[in-house]
Amino acid sequence: MKPIQYLISIVWILSFYHSIAQTKVDSLLDVYFSISNSDRPKAMQIAQLALEAARVGDDRHSEAVALECIGVQHYYRGDYQNATKFLKEAE
């Protein structure tokens, strides 16, 4: 395999991996928003999973959305200190 073909293959694999990671984050956030008011403990777990997936995929936008979701869940729990921490990190 020529070096350029190898490089193209690597770029394609990385793009494919990023696409899968993005799809996972989007799916997790969709679930979060569908249950954020009806099942807050589960919503917090989903938001934390979305945050981890966003960080693995180096998706700064989705990371900020997940941080905001976690901050909102802390706010709903009356934990204003952690709410503020996560919301500021989301900025």
Side-chain angles (χ1 to χ4, degrees):
M1 181 180 282
K2 294 181 182 179
I4 191 71
Q5 290 171 325
Y6 180 75
L7 182 59
I8 290 170
S9 296
I10 295 296
V11 169
W12 185 86
I13 290 168
L14 291 174
S15 296
F16 181 72
Y17 174 75
H18 185 267
S19 175
I20 291 171
Q22 181 61 49
T23 300
K24 179 179 180 180
V25 174
D26 290 344
S27 296
L28 287 167
L29 290 172
D30 286 344
V31 171
Y32 169 84
F33 287 113
S34 71
I35 65 169
S36 63
N37 289 316
S38 61
D39 188 352
R40 291 190 174 144
K42 188 68 171 177
M44 176 67 95
Q45 291 173 342
I46 297 294
Q48 290 168 336
L49 289 173
L51 176 60
E52 291 172 23
R55 286 181 171 164
V56 166
D58 196 31
D59 180 351
R60 301 287 292 153
H61 174 75
S62 294
E63 180 180 350
V65 173
L67 286 165
E68 183 178 340
C69 293
I70 293 169
V72 167
Q73 291 302 315
H74 281 294
Y75 175 82
Y76 287 151
R77 293 175 178 188
D79 183 356
Y80 304 118
Q81 183 175 1
N82 274 320
T84 301
K85 175 186 149 197
F86 280 94
L87 292 170
K88 282 185 179 180
E89 190 177 346
E91 291 180 338

